[in-house]
Every structure is written in structure tokens, then in C-alpha cells.
Amino acid sequence: MKILVLNAGSSSQKSCLYQLTGDTLPSKPPQPLWEAKIDWSVSAGLGLLEVEANETALEIQLESDDRPTGVSQMLKTLVEGKTKVLKELSQIDIVGHRVVHGGAEYSQATTISKEVKEAIARLIPLAPTHNPANLEGIEAIEKVLGDIPQVAVFDTAFHSQMPLEAAVYPIPYEWFEKGIRRYGFHGISHKYCADRVAQLLGKPLESLKIITCHLGNGCSLTAISEGKSINTTMGFTPLEGLMMGTRSGSIDPAILIYLMREHNFNADQLDKMLNKASGLKGVSGLSSDMRSIKEAISEGNDRAKLAFDMYIHRLKACIGSMLASLGGLDVLVFTAGIGENAAIVREKACEGFEFLGLKLDKDKNNSSPVDEDIAMSDSKVKILVLHTEEDWAIATECWHVMMS
Ligand code: ADP
């Protein structure tokens, strides 16, 4: 079975092709046959396409920023040139898409129909940068591959069963009825990590209390009990919760009212400030990239140190709140760019939780672990560093659709 995965972001389009044989899923994520990425942010009006397959890496300058044309050029590299891995595109059996917002309706991966596309479009006001890109990807595939089965895998789905006390905001209830509620995001990654924990520990997922820390450019935590998300840090939008690369995370909402009244900020300016000019970047004045923050700290930069300390302070506060939702903890998971690579963030995040019997093994933590437990052997809580595999999780959903 050949499964194409599309993962569209606001300024990029990632894609990969998996080939699966036999009638069971492999226990470990396989290497894709082909991987590609279009970066739309490199220069105005152009796109940069990077492709890897057959041990060849290509870079192609796209002559326009028309996204459907870009997707079809990207797909051409599957059947032409040095990265050719298919005779023809019709060999692809199914296409899976990461869709950021599925609203309250979608609690599972869903085969894409006219109604599903309408729902994704209807939810654009809730995910104004992502859902349009997801829809464009779906339509671009329709253009090139006709009526091939396509599956939407929603980042909100894993959280859709959160208990009401975690999902409802303490504002007039009528707003909840109109859709203003906590949805949660990064669900594909949080769910993948929960399943992987159970697999690596050889225990039923339902028996484990897990906190997953997805720390990338966007950051969120999820409390998982009996295999379900019972609380998470992102909310109505991916802005709530932790301090992130360029996003503020949670702040006193009265700050916004103050800025509007006293400094004439409008909605667009507030949006830009909180989403693009805050977090590590806004506080340090330097960069949203944790690597640059670490480097600046080593050179004695005080603002970078403050940004780092705030990041950890807020991370620990949110781990504490997930802990309270769970009433205990078996496994703490770190994943995504920072979670997988920044040993110092893991070390500092664990400090203060020793009272749980959680003991980090610093040597293991510093030895670039991948899918490994970095806790001491007598730690009561396991600490796992997992490589998140969102694309594989999407492919797995497609496989289930094909096999059902
Ligand atoms: P996205 O949310 O866009 O998928 P990633 O999961 O790739 O992002 O994470 C990006 C973040 O990971 C950046 O802040 C980057 O600094 C951080 N990162 C990547 N490698 C390292 C590293 N070796 N040390 C510290 N941080 C890292």
C-alpha cells in the first residue's frame, strides 16, 4: 500500500510517501520512500522545494508562490528525475492530511467528503493560517489525483473528549454554545507519543498516567489518563498555555484591553504581537530558536537568560497543573525540536518534581537519547524522550481506513 502524507503549515508544505507491505503495521515507524518540503517563506513570490529519495537530495526553486501549482510540482518529483520512486501517480492508494482544526465535530480521522471540506472551511476563523493551507492541499490533490481517497487527521481530535470542566471557559456560557471553548492542538503528536509509551514500556495504555510535553516552535502539554486527553495547555487557539518561540502563551487578558484603550492597538496588531513577536523572541529580543537562546546565555546575555528562565518557570507551572488533573504520574514525555534536543530544558523542567520520586539520570539525559527512558533505574516516574512521528501517525490512520 502506498500512502502519501501532506502536512501543510502557514509557510510550508511537507509531504512524504510510505510504502507498506503485508497486513499488519510495522512496530516501528518505517523510513518514507520519498520526502519533500516546500518553504514559502524563503523569498517573496517564490517557493523552495527540497526533495529526498533514492539517497538523492534535490533543491528546486519554484517560479511562483501559487500553492496548488507548487504541490503539483512537488508530486512530479515522485515520478520524474533522480527522486523518481513511482511509475505513475495513480499507484498512490490513499492520501492523508494533517488538518489543524476539526472543531467539536471531529473526534477521529475522517474520510474527506464535500461535507468535511465544508467543515474545514467553516472552521477557518478558528485557525486562520492553517485550515486554508490544509484545504488547499486537499484541493491540489483532487486536481492531480482525481477522486483518490483522502483522509483528514485532525490536531484537535485527541482532545475532543476532554471533560467539560477542562474544556469550558469561565465566561458567559452562551459563548461555549457558540463554539468558544478549549479545543487543544498537537493532538496527533500527543496521541502518537502516548501509544509509543505503551509500546516501549510493554504496558496497556489505559493503565498509565502520562504527561506529554510537545516542545517545538509551538509548545503544549497534555495530561493523558486511560488513553484519553483529560487536559491540555492550548485552548481555543494554539496561543494559550506555555511560553513558545514567538507566542506569548497565557497572559492576563486585561493586558489586551489596556493596550486597546491606552495604546490604540487594533485586533491585527494584538494578533501579530502575541503570535509573532512574543515568547522567547519577544523577551530575549534575539531569536525564537532555543539554540540561539542557549548560545546567547553562554555569552552572558541577560535577556536571553530571562527568556529561558521564564520558559522553564511556565513549563513547570503547567506540568504541575497537568499533574493535578491526573492525580499522579507514571511517565513524563519530552518530544519535538526542543523536547528531543535540549537536554538542559529537560533537566530544568524535572527540577522540583523530585517529591514525586522522579529522578532524572543526567548522563542519559546528556547522551542524545531517542525513544529512551532517561530516568534513574529507581525513579518512580519514567522520563521518556520520544521522536514524534506525526506523518507516520497520519499514515497509520490512512492504513486503518484502507483496511476497514
Ligand atoms: P515545529 O513546531 O515548527 O515543528 P520543531 O519541533 O522542529 O518545530 O522545533 C523547533 C524548535 O526546536 C526550535 O526552537 C529549535 O531551536 C529547537 N531545536 C532544534 N534542535 C535543537 C537543539 N539541538 N537544541 C536546542 N533546541 C533545538
Side-chain angles (χ1 to χ4, degrees):
M1 187 188 305
K2 293 187 174 60
I3 304 173
L4 182 72
V5 174
L6 264 81
N7 186 338
S10 50
S11 61
S12 69
Q13 170 73 69
K14 294 183 199 159
S15 184
C16 63
L17 182 78
Y18 289 100
Q19 172 159 283
L20 301 181
T21 47
D23 52 11
T24 51
L25 281 169
S27 59
K28 267 178 37 192
Q31 205 35 47
L33 275 187
W34 166 98
E35 287 178 89
K37 181 182 172 192
I38 306 175
D39 191 338
W40 299 112
S41 66
V42 182
S43 49
L46 301 173
L48 180 69
L49 168 62
E50 294 170 288
V51 189
E52 268 187 61
N54 305 325
E55 294 174 0
T56 305
L58 286 185
E59 264 191 26
I60 302 165
Q61 205 49 262
L62 302 179
E63 293 310 320
S64 111
D65 62 357
D66 177 60
R67 301 202 179 189
T69 311
V71 172
S72 77
Q73 281 182 275
M74 179 175 82
L75 296 181
K76 262 194 188 161
T77 68
L78 281 161
V79 289
E80 286 178 7
K82 288 186 180 156
T83 58
K84 174 177 172 171
V85 288
L86 298 176
K87 271 200 199 116
E88 47 195 40
L89 290 174
S90 61
Q91 287 177 281
I92 299 170
D93 295 291
I94 187 163
V95 182
H97 297 265
R98 172 179 177 220
V99 179
V100 165
H101 218 306
E105 299 94 311
Y106 292 101
S107 57
Q108 283 179 20
T110 308
T111 304
I112 294 170
S113 60
K114 191 165 155 274
E115 288 71 34
V116 175
K117 284 201 306 184
E118 282 166 4
I120 297 170
R122 205 168 49 244
L123 291 162
I124 286 176
L126 304 192
T129 49
H130 287 91
N131 270 31
N134 301 147
L135 209 50
E136 270 170 13
I138 293 166
E139 285 169 353
I141 292 291
E142 278 172 0
K143 249 191 184 166
V144 181
L145 292 172
D147 60 357
I148 185 167
Q150 299 199 66
V151 175
V153 186
F154 299 98
D155 248 336
T156 45
F158 186 48
H159 307 294
S160 66
Q161 318 282 321
M162 261 194 315
L164 281 180
E165 63 266 28
V168 183
Y169 284 107
I171 57 175
Y173 188 76
E174 68 209 59
W175 290 110
F176 171 67
E177 294 173 313
K178 288 179 181 154
I180 297 197
R181 53 169 289 159
R182 306 188 64 245
Y183 292 102
F185 296 88
H186 288 147
I188 300 169
S189 173
H190 289 296
K191 181 175 185 301
Y192 169 80
C193 287
D195 290 336
R196 187 83 176 123
V197 165
Q199 189 192 33
L200 288 170
L201 299 184
K203 291 194 173 159
L205 176 57
E206 290 67 30
S207 70
L208 297 167
K209 289 180 172 166
I210 306 170
I211 297 175
T212 44
C213 307
H214 178 107
L215 308 176
N217 283 313
C219 303
S220 72
L221 308 183
T222 296
I224 299 160
S225 177
E226 297 179 3
K228 298 197 176 84
S229 162
I230 61 160
N231 199 0
T232 191
T233 56
M234 285 180 168
F236 178 61
T237 72
L239 185 54
E240 191 180 341
L242 297 168
M243 176 171 166
M244 312 181 206
T246 61
R247 285 176 240 165
S248 61
S250 296
I251 61 167
D252 181 345
I255 295 171
L256 312 189
I257 301 166
Y258 172 83
L259 290 175
M260 289 166 79
R261 282 197 184 133
E262 304 296 327
H263 294 269
N264 298 320
F265 268 62
N266 62 30
D268 286 345
Q269 288 168 317
L270 288 175
D271 185 355
K272 205 167 161 199
M273 180 183 102
L274 297 175
N275 278 299
K276 302 264 188 263
S278 295
L280 291 172
K281 183 176 176 194
V283 177
S284 70
L286 278 177
S287 168
S288 62
D289 192 310
M290 186 57 89
R291 285 166 291 200
S292 312
I293 298 293
K294 280 172 28 187
E295 208 177 294
I297 294 173
S298 70
E299 290 160 1
N301 185 308
D302 289 341
R303 288 258 298 279
K305 170 85 167 64
L306 174 63
F308 181 85
D309 291 347
M310 287 167 59
Y311 183 92
I312 298 295
H313 172 78
R314 284 168 175 255
L315 175 56
K316 284 168 70 169
C318 287
I319 291 176
S321 96
M322 295 297 117
L323 196 56
S325 293
L326 289 170
L329 186 62
D330 298 305
V331 191
L332 180 64
V333 175
F334 290 98
T335 192
I338 297 175
E340 292 172 34
N341 297 298
I344 187 69
V345 170
R346 296 192 294 260
E347 183 183 323
K348 294 288 175 198
C350 288
E351 278 175 11
F353 291 106
E354 291 87 356
F355 72 94
L356 294 171
L358 175 151
K359 293 185 196 167
L360 179 77
D361 183 324
K362 289 193 182 168
D363 291 337
K364 286 186 187 162
N365 185 39
N366 287 317
S367 59
S368 307
V370 183
D371 288 9
E372 275 174 61
D373 182 9
I374 54 166
M376 307 276 269
S377 53
D378 63 342
S379 174
K380 289 201 181 120
V381 178
K382 308 256 185 229
I383 308 167
L384 296 188
V385 180
L386 299 182
H387 175 50
T388 192
E389 291 271 5
E390 287 161 304
D391 291 344
W392 173 239
I394 295 167
T396 304
E397 296 286 1
C398 291
W399 185 85
H400 286 300
V401 167
M402 290 298 282
M403 298 306 269
S404 64

